[in-house]
């Protein structure tokens, strides 16, 4: 279905995609584009959803090899639901991220998958964790990934502020995705956005023609 | 595939860099970082990559340092001859065409991208991109390895009809963002502002560059 887009000039391997997550005052926004392409020439799906729910208030975006990422997520979902039954409460976001990290680190020679995990839990509120290709786990306020992310490093550095409001953060994430999709030819389609707060998770889809337009469009 | 701003890595004296030029009503602003790297080593941390081609025409160098400098020197000479022949200051488009002619003819051997910008009496401020031998006039142009990281920022922030000061601020912010993310860009920021009345060269030192939310506060 989706082939790795060999972007050797920037990093080893990255999927043709743009994913991001950002924290705001009271929650997180996690989002992605929706294009799956074969070798950067044929768009095999225009509307694939790359934001996967692993628990009520915990979502993940995948980077790297899609096959590896799907396999890891399936295992992680199982581990997490078992863990939450044992703990008799909802899992913490760091639990979900740690499960992914363990799988990625222990199998680092075979796997090529990275994740952005974002969610809300009662203990620490909104959090974002990045599990990189080799299995490093770090917590970040805002993070971007995928081949399209290269083009928006400057935008995110300049425009992100901690403790934005929900609307500001949603606009920031939509703009960042739109800019990346505008420059990266293997990212595109619609923007999938999920807003996670104490009260739950809300999934919005912004179709291509409703995405913000910039000066040259 | 060829991507604007992403040059092949040259092993000896590469100018992988961040350069940009933007046009405003009445002139242009050019900006560059100052790092020259050879592999993992920074061989010059204060190189001025904004090279003068004529009184009111500058070019910004990126890619292989040797190739870019040579092109700039040759075009400088050719422009001098040309301006003597026509008896007046050359047009920016002429300078860009001379650069383009070299880039296109020797495209297999050379690995450099020059952005040509300046002011002339006929068309005011102009910016030309000459990547790989094309010639195109644009309201602004970015180039070098660091440019990839700031495409989103410049797409979002550029507006038509900015003033000279707004353009300078835009260039400095863009350079600062690129220098923070690109390993091959860094050092200080060089700025050149060209308009009808003057050509102003400026250096902005590292600790005077704008900082962003994730950086510690500037030195006092």
């Amino acid at each position: 279905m989706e082939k790795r887009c060999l972007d050797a000039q920037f990093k080893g391997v990255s999927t043709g995609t743009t994913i991001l997550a950002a924290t705001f005052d009271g929650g997180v926004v996690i989002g992605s584009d929706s294009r799956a392409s074969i070798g950067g020439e044929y768009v095999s799906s225009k509307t694939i959803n790359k934001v996967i729910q692993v628990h009520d208030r915990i979502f993940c975006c995948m980077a790297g090899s899609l096959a590896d990422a799907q396999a890891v997520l399936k295992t992680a979902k199982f581990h997490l639901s078992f863990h939450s039954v044992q703990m008799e409460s909802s899992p913490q976001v760091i639990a979900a991220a740690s499960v992914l990290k363990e799988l990625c680190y222990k199998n680092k020679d075979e796997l090529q998958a990275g994740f952005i995990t974002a969610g809300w839990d009662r203990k620490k509120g909104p959090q974002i964790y990045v599990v990189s290709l080799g299995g490093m786990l770090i917590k970040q306020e805002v993070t971007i990934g995928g081949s399209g992310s290269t083009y928006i490093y400057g935008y995110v550095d300049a425009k992100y502020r901690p403790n934005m409001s929900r609307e500001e953060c949603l606009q920031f994430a939509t703009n960042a995705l739109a800019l990346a999709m505008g420059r990266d030819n293997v990212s595109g389609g619609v923007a999938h956005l999920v807003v996670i707060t104490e009260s739950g998770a809300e999934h919005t889809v912004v179709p291509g023609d409703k995405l913000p337009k910039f000066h040259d469009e | 595939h060829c991507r604007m701003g992403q040059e092949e890595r040259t092993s000896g004296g590469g100018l992988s860099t961040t350069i940009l030029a933007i046009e405003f009503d009445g002139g242009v602003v050019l900006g560059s970082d100052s790092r020259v790297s050879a592999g993992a080593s920074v061989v010059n941390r204060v190189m001025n990559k904004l090279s003068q081609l004529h009184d009111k025409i500058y070019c910004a160098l990126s890619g292989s340092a040797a190739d870019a400098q040579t092109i700039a020197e040759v075009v400088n000479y050719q422009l001098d001859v040309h301006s003597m022949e026509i008896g007046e200051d050359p047009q920016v488009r002429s300078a860009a065409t001379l650069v383009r002619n070299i880039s296109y003819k020797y495209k297999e051997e050379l690995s450099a991208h020059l952005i040509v910008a300046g002011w002339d009496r006929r068309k005011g401020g102009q910016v030309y991109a000459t990547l790989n031998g094309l010639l195109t006039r644009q309201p602004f142009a970015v180039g070098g390895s660091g440019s990839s990281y700031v495409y989103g920022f410049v797409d979002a922030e550029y507006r038509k009809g900015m003033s000279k000061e707004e353009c300078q601020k835009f260039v400095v912010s863009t350079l600062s963002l690129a220098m923070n993310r690109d390993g091959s860009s860094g050092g200080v920021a060089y700025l050149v502002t060209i308009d009808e009345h003057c050509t102003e060269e400026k250096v902005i030192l590292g600790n005077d560059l704008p900082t962003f939310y994730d950086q510690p506060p500037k030195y006092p």
Side-chain angles (χ1 to χ4, degrees):
Chain A
M1 186 175 70
E2 180 173 332
K3 198 167 126 190
R4 282 177 276 169
C5 171
L6 276 152
D7 213 9
Q9 285 163 318
F10 298 118
K11 31 198 169 202
V13 175
S14 63
T15 39
T17 187
T18 310
I19 51 179
L20 55 74
T23 322
F24 64 89
D25 186 19
V28 292
V29 173
I30 182 167
S32 78
D33 72 310
S34 72
R35 179 174 290 183
S37 60
I38 303 203
E41 285 173 354
Y42 171 66
V43 177
S44 50
S45 171
K46 293 190 268 187
T47 51
I48 191 173
N49 186 358
K50 302 177 191 177
V51 184
I52 310 292
Q53 184 164 27
V54 293
H55 206 87
D56 295 346
R57 286 180 183 68
I58 309 178
F59 283 71
C60 279
C61 277
M62 354 184 212
S65 153
L66 200 61
D68 286 349
Q70 282 187 336
V72 171
L73 271 175
K74 192 166 170 194
T75 318
K77 248 174 155 171
F78 165 75
H79 280 304
L80 208 58
S81 66
F82 192 63
H83 166 80
S84 94
V85 165
Q86 282 188 313
M87 304 296 285
E88 294 179 14
S89 71
S90 296
Q92 294 182 40
V93 186
I94 190 160
S98 294
V99 169
L100 290 168
K101 182 260 296 180
E102 277 302 298
L103 290 164
C104 290
Y105 182 71
K106 292 263 156 69
N107 299 296
K108 61 157 67 179
D109 294 333
E110 285 94 4
L111 291 174
Q112 232 165 4
F115 300 91
I116 297 179
T117 308
W120 184 95
D121 64 43
R122 221 179 354 195
K123 204 157 176 208
K124 293 204 203 129
Q127 301 142 76
I128 297 172
Y129 294 92
V130 181
V131 178
S132 67
L133 249 50
M136 173 182 78
L137 172 66
I138 52 171
K139 180 172 188 293
Q140 290 200 288
E141 300 277 291
V142 62
T143 187
I144 54 181
S147 60
S149 69
T150 330
Y151 304 105
I152 49 172
Y153 272 105
Y155 180 77
V156 168
D157 282 346
K159 292 293 166 176
Y160 175 77
R161 286 165 297 112
N163 295 325
M164 287 190 276
S165 74
R166 180 207 164 104
E167 287 68 32
E168 286 175 323
C169 195
L170 207 47
Q171 188 61 51
F172 161 80
T174 315
N175 287 348
L177 282 174
L179 288 163
M181 294 198 274
R183 285 290 182 180
D184 184 27
N185 65 337
V186 287
S187 297
V190 306
H192 286 287
L193 292 155
V194 178
V195 182
I196 311 165
T197 57
E198 178 172 6
S199 42
E202 206 181 288
H203 185 184
T204 337
V205 174
V206 184
D209 57 345
K210 300 271 185 312
L211 285 171
K213 292 202 190 320
F214 300 96
H215 70 98
D216 55 355
E217 294 166 90
Chain B
H1 64 99
C2 180
R3 199 184 257 132
M4 172 107 167
Q6 187 63 20
E7 314 293 347
E8 290 101 47
R9 286 243 152 212
T10 52
S11 53
L15 254 187
S16 301
T17 180
T18 309
I19 51 172
L20 73 150
I22 179 171
E23 174 195 323
F24 61 89
D25 184 22
V28 292
V29 179
L30 292 99
S32 84
D33 72 308
S34 69
R35 179 173 292 184
V36 182
S37 42
S41 179
V42 176
V43 297
N44 187 343
R45 60 189 171 123
V46 287
M47 162 113 188
N48 189 345
K49 301 173 191 178
L50 302 176
S51 198
Q52 189 173 27
L53 298 177
H54 204 83
D55 294 343
K56 291 204 180 296
I57 308 176
Y58 272 67
C59 68
L61 317 172
S62 77
S64 152
D67 289 350
Q69 279 190 331
T70 309
I71 298 176
E73 278 173 21
V74 167
V75 171
N76 185 356
Y77 165 75
Q78 288 175 338
L79 260 187
D80 271 347
V81 169
H82 171 69
S83 83
M84 274 191 273
E85 282 174 351
I86 60 174
E88 58 178 15
D89 284 338
Q91 293 184 57
V92 185
R93 195 185 172 88
S94 313
T97 305
L98 289 168
V99 172
R100 187 276 308 267
N101 289 346
I102 301 177
S103 299
Y104 183 70
K105 188 165 178 191
Y106 299 103
K107 68 169 11 190
E108 304 302 322
E109 292 99 326
L110 293 175
S111 168
H113 171 213
L114 273 64
I115 296 177
V116 179
W119 182 93
D120 63 41
R121 225 166 4 154
R122 288 197 212 187
K123 292 198 195 141
Q126 299 146 73
V127 172
Y128 292 89
T130 66
L131 180 68
N132 274 343
L134 72 79
L135 176 65
T136 172
R137 182 178 171 192
Q138 296 173 191
F140 69 91
V142 295
S145 57
S147 68
S148 317
Y149 302 101
V150 292
Y151 268 113
F153 179 76
V154 300
D155 280 345
E157 288 298 290
Y158 174 77
R159 286 160 292 115
K160 266 178 25 181
M162 288 200 277
S163 71
K164 178 163 87 167
E165 288 70 28
E166 286 175 321
C167 282
Q168 287 173 326
K169 202 153 160 267
F170 174 81
V171 168
V172 170
S173 294
T174 310
L175 285 172
S176 186
L177 287 164
M179 280 153 61
N180 279 338
R181 287 290 180 178
D182 181 29
S184 312
S185 301
V188 305
Y190 287 101
L191 230 70
V192 167
T193 313
I194 310 172
D195 63 17
E196 182 179 357
H197 307 291
C198 70
T199 304
E200 185 198 339
E201 292 193 16
K202 214 160 76 161
V203 182
I204 300 169
L205 301 181
N207 56 329
D208 293 329
L209 287 169
T211 53
F212 302 95
Y213 79 95
D214 58 346
Q215 291 164 275
K218 293 186 253 205
Y219 294 112

